[in-house]
Amino acid sequence: MNTNVFQPHPGAQTRFMSCKARYALIGGAAGGGKSQCLLFDPFRQIKIEQERVNSGEITSSTGRAIFFRRTMPELREVMDRAKRYFTLIDPGAEWHEQTKTWTFSCGYKYMFGQMEESSDWIKYYGFEFTWIGMDEVTSFTEEQHDQMDTRLRSADPVLSKMLYMRFGTNPVGPGLEWVRRRYVEPAPPNTPVIRRIQTPITENGVTRYETVEHQQIFIPAMLGDNPSINQKEYAATLATKSKATKRALLDGDWYAYTEGAWVGDDWDPEFHVCKPFKIPVGWPKFRAGDYGYSWPGL
């Protein structure tokens, strides 16, 4: 297996592809190389599974990855890219067009899927995955994310210790708010967050609770993290866009409003947001309501 076909650049790409957290988001500025990282990240599992087969530890891998884009046209571009590289990594890899699945020499399966309709997650409910990736995750719904998370499992003693959900996105799209809330706001960038879950375990009719720890991390990626593209030319293109678009796609600003937001070009969290503090008792209080500009009757 030739694992030198793709090597992550130092910085954000290397941090992301060596991260061992269960959940990891790479995102921010456009052109940071996040899609390429997502495409090749499952090979950390494939490499281990090939070594296990070669040593005789297992006869065939039960590992399975799936790479999601919201629509088929978006997914087609990624699948075309995979066809250019995957057989260079493993000449024995085979592609099955009907199921959109690669099967590698060790038996590991790498699927491609799309969930254009909100309920499309049900199509994958009979599967178990050891790696789940969502490119442009802000185009997905929070329910799609949570439902696919329930499919991340394995009975294999090795794979069960390296179950990964991986996401990449720019800070735009209909799902911006939930992605920001779940993955960007809990901690400063590049800072692991530990989620502790009380899990019921029943043995011989007796139920006890054990704490399970899941780690997550947000890794910001900027245009400068990807020297594979002409950064100067691409930055010049982004610099001609609206203020909100520049802040989102050039600066990787998660609080730049998308086009159409009334205060999009003026909102600046450094200026308009203060740190939490206890409000003095004597301060006057008032309430205000916004009846809307386009639909004041609603």
Side-chain angles (χ1 to χ4, degrees):
M1 178 172 288
N2 181 10
T3 56
N4 295 320
V5 171
F6 173 77
Q7 292 296 320
H9 295 297
Q13 291 189 0
T14 295
R15 287 195 295 273
F16 180 76
M17 295 189 70
S18 61
C19 172
K20 295 183 179 180
R22 182 182 177 97
Y23 310 96
L25 166 66
I26 183 171
K34 62 188 184 311
S35 296
Q36 200 79 332
C37 287
L38 279 174
L39 181 64
F40 288 99
D41 193 71
F43 282 93
R44 67 166 92 187
Q45 291 185 350
I46 297 171
K47 181 176 182 291
I48 290 174
E49 292 299 272
Q50 185 64 62
E51 292 171 351
R52 295 175 71 196
V53 169
N54 292 345
S55 68
E57 178 185 344
I58 58 175
T59 57
S60 182
S61 173
T62 58
R64 185 186 298 268
I66 188 163
F67 186 111
F68 281 111
R69 288 298 302 263
R70 188 66 190 259
T71 68
M72 181 52 68
E74 296 169 311
L75 187 65
R76 179 64 63 183
E77 188 277 329
V78 179
M79 292 190 294
D80 289 344
R81 200 184 317 174
K83 290 177 182 178
R84 294 196 297 270
Y85 292 110
F86 282 9
T87 53
L88 298 178
I89 299 174
D90 180 2
E94 297 181 352
W95 169 250
H96 190 265
E97 177 67 29
Q98 184 176 356
T99 60
K100 304 295 186 291
T101 302
W102 284 91
T103 301
F104 289 86
S105 298
C106 62
Y108 189 103
K109 298 186 184 301
Y110 190 151
M111 297 174 60
F112 290 87
Q114 47 83 223
M115 292 189 287
E116 188 164 359
E117 300 297 328
S118 296
S119 61
D120 278 351
W121 54 264
I122 198 70
K123 297 187 299 186
Y124 305 97
Y125 224 56
F127 289 92
E128 291 185 356
F129 297 103
T130 55
W131 187 97
I132 297 172
M134 291 181 169
D135 197 10
E136 300 301 346
V137 66
T138 53
S139 67
F140 294 87
T141 68
E142 190 169 12
E143 181 186 26
Q144 289 172 329
H145 165 282
D146 289 347
Q147 291 292 349
M148 292 312 304
D149 191 11
T150 69
R151 303 299 93 199
L152 191 67
R153 62 191 186 190
S154 175
D156 183 276
V158 174
L159 290 170
S160 64
K161 293 181 174 63
M162 48 189 303
L163 301 175
Y164 302 129
M165 283 194 82
R166 294 292 181 261
F167 317 104
T169 194
N170 303 125
V172 296
L176 171 64
E177 188 279 331
W178 77 260
V179 174
R180 186 175 61 199
R181 169 174 44 83
R182 294 275 293 262
Y183 289 103
V184 178
E185 293 182 335
N190 299 309
T191 304
V193 175
I194 304 296
R195 291 192 290 174
R196 294 178 173 86
I197 304 102
Q198 289 293 313
T199 306
I201 306 295
T202 302
E203 294 178 344
N204 300 322
V206 178
T207 300
R208 56 186 171 82
Y209 287 85
E210 292 188 359
T211 300
V212 176
E213 294 186 349
H214 287 166
Q215 189 180 100
Q216 69 177 55
I217 190 169
F218 163 56
I219 300 172
M222 305 299 289
L223 183 56
D225 290 308
N226 185 17
S228 295
I229 67 173
N230 188 328
Q231 297 176 12
K232 183 178 180 180
E233 184 68 26
Y234 194 42
T237 299
L238 295 176
T240 65
K241 309 309 176 188
S242 70
K243 183 177 178 181
T245 300
K246 283 191 295 183
R247 284 173 51 189
L249 299 185
L250 186 58
D251 301 331
D253 186 347
W254 283 84
Y255 295 90
Y257 280 26
T258 55
E259 290 295 329
W262 188 68
V263 296
D265 285 349
D266 298 312
W267 177 261
D268 184 350
E270 294 295 325
F271 181 78
H272 294 108
V273 178
C274 66
K275 294 182 179 180
F277 66 96
K278 186 175 181 179
I279 300 175
V281 176
W283 279 25
K285 303 176 179 66
F286 67 92
R287 293 174 179 165
D290 181 2
Y291 291 99
Y293 179 77
S294 299
W295 300 95
L298 296 180

